Amino acid sequence: MAGRLTTTSDVEAMKRSALRMSLIAIVSVFVFEFTAGLFTNSLALITDSTHALLDAVVTAILIIAIRLARKPKDVDHTYGHGKIETIGGFIGGIALFVVAVFFIYEAIIRLASSSTGSASILVTPGTIGFAAVAYTLAVDGFRISVLGRAMKKTSAAQQITGSTTLKADFYHAFADLASTTVALVGLWLVTIGFRQGDSIAAIILGSFLSYLSVRFAYQNAMELTDVISPRLVGTVKQ
């Protein structure tokens, strides 16, 4: 049936295709947003573009992880190399946590600077700043759509909860969407003269991302230790 994944090769091809499209999209975001950040002196845009760059690196790692996971079993890996994909998901979760901590740190520095009356760089969002944010939000939506469809198709084909690498990049796409929203709020607050609001929003976002990344990394760590869900055990016994 057209559009249906019937073999392992089809599933792996779908994973690689989705991740490659995600990688190309996020690299374009980094270039546009970083350039806009330099023109507008917006730390929010530059920080968000750095997040996009890190996300691109993680996506590349996930693509490599899928390729390595396809290697057949050998003398040293009698159950195959499937765990390598889980390791890729674990790395993705840890990287996201690092980004979240960086957001929180930068937000605290900004709040401290504003409270002490320190001079700050003049931010001039202008058309290019808001255009960069709009483009980034559109790309984030595109990535979420592509990765979401790929997760559903691979999950249905494999009769499992889906690919950990696709899920890692899916979470990263949502994190990008949230962080870009913070950048948008920051630019808008600058235009109305309220600078502290951007830092407060960034701290809230950083806390949420920290929770999300730790939870995802923990789930992959448990899978690496071969933990089995008690619910699954009960179902098998029945």
Side-chain angles (χ1 to χ4, degrees), residues 165-206:
T165 48
L166 288 178
K167 190 179 295 184
D169 208 44
F170 185 76
Y171 282 152
H172 275 276
F174 262 112
D176 288 340
L177 183 66
S179 64
T180 303
T181 302
V182 171
L184 175 61
V185 172
L187 291 180
W188 176 74
L189 290 174
V190 168
T191 61
I192 65 174
F194 184 66
R195 300 176 181 176
Q196 293 82 0
D198 182 33
S199 299
I200 294 173
I203 291 175
I204 295 173
L205 172 61

Side-chain angles (χ1 to χ4, degrees), residues 4-194:
R4 183 174 181 177
L5 304 179
T6 57
T7 67
T8 301
S9 297
D10 291 337
V11 172
E12 298 304 320
M14 168 63 77
K15 292 179 184 179
R16 291 195 304 273
S17 176
L19 288 175
R20 284 171 182 167
M21 284 191 289
S22 177
L23 178 59
I24 294 172
I26 198 62
V27 168
S28 71
V29 163
F30 166 72
V31 173
F32 189 8
E33 203 169 22
F34 184 79
T35 302
L38 293 179
F39 272 101
T40 62
N41 290 324
S42 171
L43 180 59
L45 285 179
I46 294 176
T47 301
D48 197 46
S49 69
T50 303
H51 181 194
L53 177 61
L54 178 59
D55 198 19
V57 172
V58 171
T59 302
I61 292 175
L62 297 180
I63 293 174
I64 296 173
I66 284 184
R67 181 173 298 178
L68 293 176
R70 293 183 62 202
K71 294 175 61 177
K73 61 184 179 180
D74 51 33
V75 176
D76 297 324
H77 302 83
T78 56
Y79 288 96
H81 298 75
K83 290 294 184 182
I84 296 178
E85 186 179 356
T86 306
I87 293 174
F90 178 76
I91 293 174
I94 294 299
L96 184 58
F97 176 75
V98 173
V99 172
V101 172
F102 177 74
F103 277 159
I104 295 173
Y105 172 78
E106 285 295 319
I108 292 175
I109 293 298
R110 292 180 190 178
L111 282 176
S113 298
S114 62
S115 63
T116 57
S118 302
S120 58
I121 298 175
L122 179 62
V123 179
T124 54
T127 302
I128 187 173
F130 287 103
V133 171
Y135 175 76
T136 303
L137 290 173
V139 170
D140 291 338
F142 168 76
R143 294 175 62 215
I144 290 172
S145 175
V146 169
L147 294 168
R149 288 198 302 266
M151 285 172 58
K152 289 181 180 179
K153 289 184 178 180
T154 55
S155 177
Q158 296 177 324
Q159 297 300 313
I160 56 175
T161 56
S163 166
T164 55
T165 48
L166 288 178
K167 190 179 295 184
D169 208 44
F170 185 76
Y171 282 152
H172 275 276
F174 262 112
D176 288 340
L177 183 66
S179 64
T180 303
T181 302
V182 171
L184 175 61
V185 172
L187 291 180
W188 176 74
L189 290 174
V190 168
T191 61
I192 65 174
F194 184 66

